[in-house]
Amino acid sequence: EAVNLLAAMTVGGTLILSGASGTGKSGLARALAASLGLDAASSRFVQTRSAEDPAIDHLLESADSLTLSAVLIDDVNDCDGNVPCAHIIGLQEKIYARNAPVVLMMTAQDAPDGKPLSARLLGRAFLIRLNPTEADAPWKPRARVAPQPGRSPSLAALQKIFAPGEIPGEAENRLNALRAGLSQLGWTLDRHTLDQTWSFSAAVIRMMTATPLEALDWALSQRALPAMLAAMDLPALRELPGLLTGLPRCRKLMDQPLPLPPL
């Protein structure tokens, strides 16, 4: 899970942590930031509920290549909030245009509590879904310990650690088979999605206790599939499970209450 979070953050630059209320989305984002040496006191971590918060502009202006910075936008799809997807995409473009070493994280509520996220936004991020605690799971209260910031690496250092390489032939063949099947449904994975799916898979294969196909399953379920579920028409969605054979994370995601536009 730790490798997955760091790889998705580094390869994609944008994370959406989704799940039901109380699953710990904001806490996980803050813990991730703290593990990278970021906190509010350092002025390199901004937690807000608005993509147009002036503190974000200040962060972008002060960001430098030696230190990492992060923005956390809470509840981007809160029914009572007002964080349009267009504002999020505008912030992404601003980060890209400045080549700023800033990671963008968001939390999103499950449907029906949260508004639908657009396919355009989902197609520009890694979506990591947190599941609620099972009703029959062993339970006892845990002591609450605030995450303590450690030493902060540069974004360039993280990108070197997660530098893309080659993926084994079995994973490459499975990805090509999926692309061919999607083409028959009139769907094409864009180059940006393919690049990040490949880069994530190649990076985590050598770090996770996972097979190449399992690593590809992680990548597709978080980077490619959410946008597909948000944009595909009903006939294509009916055929999709057959294309995801051998990819259990992808198959499971199709049964989750994601905040998707209505069909």
Side-chain angles (χ1 to χ4, degrees):
E1 293 288 354
V3 170
N4 177 54
L5 277 171
L6 287 169
M9 181 202 75
T10 303
V11 171
T14 302
L15 289 181
I16 300 175
L17 302 174
S18 76
S21 179
T23 50
K25 301 181 293 293
S26 296
L28 179 60
R30 289 193 299 269
L32 176 59
S35 73
L36 296 168
L38 308 179
D39 63 352
S42 70
S43 300
R44 291 187 286 112
F45 177 63
V46 172
Q47 183 173 358
T48 181
R49 292 179 65 90
S50 170
E52 298 182 310
D53 191 322
I56 298 177
D57 286 328
H58 177 72
L59 184 72
L60 292 178
E61 291 170 1
S62 60
D64 63 76
S65 60
L66 296 179
T67 52
L68 182 66
S69 299
V71 173
L72 169 59
I73 303 177
D74 267 321
D75 295 328
V76 292
N77 65 338
D78 190 335
C79 287
D80 297 322
N82 184 28
V83 188
C85 289
H87 292 180
I88 301 291
I89 293 172
L91 175 57
Q92 277 187 315
E93 296 292 351
K94 193 181 296 184
I95 293 172
Y96 295 156
R98 300 187 184 192
N99 197 26
V102 177
V103 173
L104 177 58
M105 298 185 287
M106 294 166 270
T107 64
Q109 297 286 346
D110 272 349
D113 297 324
K115 294 179 180 178
L117 296 175
S118 72
R120 187 178 176 211
L121 177 58
L122 291 169
R124 299 165 66 100
F126 276 79
L127 184 141
I128 296 174
R129 189 171 188 281
L130 307 185
N131 293 310
T133 303
E134 298 291 339
D136 58 351
W139 178 260
K140 65 178 181 179
R142 293 180 299 177
R144 295 183 63 85
V145 180
Q148 297 298 312
R151 296 181 61 185
S152 178
S154 67
L155 183 57
L158 288 171
Q159 289 171 338
K160 184 176 181 180
I161 292 171
F162 292 100
E166 295 299 315
I167 63 175
E170 59 183 306
E172 183 178 0
N173 292 338
R174 185 65 183 85
L175 179 58
N176 287 335
L178 176 62
R179 292 175 62 200
L182 291 173
S183 178
Q184 296 297 315
L185 300 180
W187 185 271
T188 302
L189 295 175
D190 64 74
R191 183 61 183 265
H192 199 52
T193 298
L194 285 171
D195 284 349
Q196 292 191 353
T197 298
W198 180 290
S199 297
F200 176 94
S201 301
V204 303
I205 282 173
R206 62 179 185 269
M207 299 181 188
M208 282 184 172
T209 53
T211 67
L213 287 181
E214 287 171 338
L216 179 64
D217 193 16
W218 280 84
L220 289 169
S221 66
Q222 296 176 155
R223 182 60 184 84
L225 186 57
M228 292 160 57
L229 296 177
M232 278 184 166
D233 57 22
L234 187 56
L237 287 174
R238 287 182 175 140
E239 299 296 327
L240 189 55
L243 299 181
L244 301 177
T245 302
L247 301 171
R249 286 183 174 274
C250 289
R251 293 286 293 265
K252 182 178 179 180
L253 191 69
M254 294 191 68
D255 295 328
Q256 304 306 310
L258 300 176
L260 302 175
L263 290 171

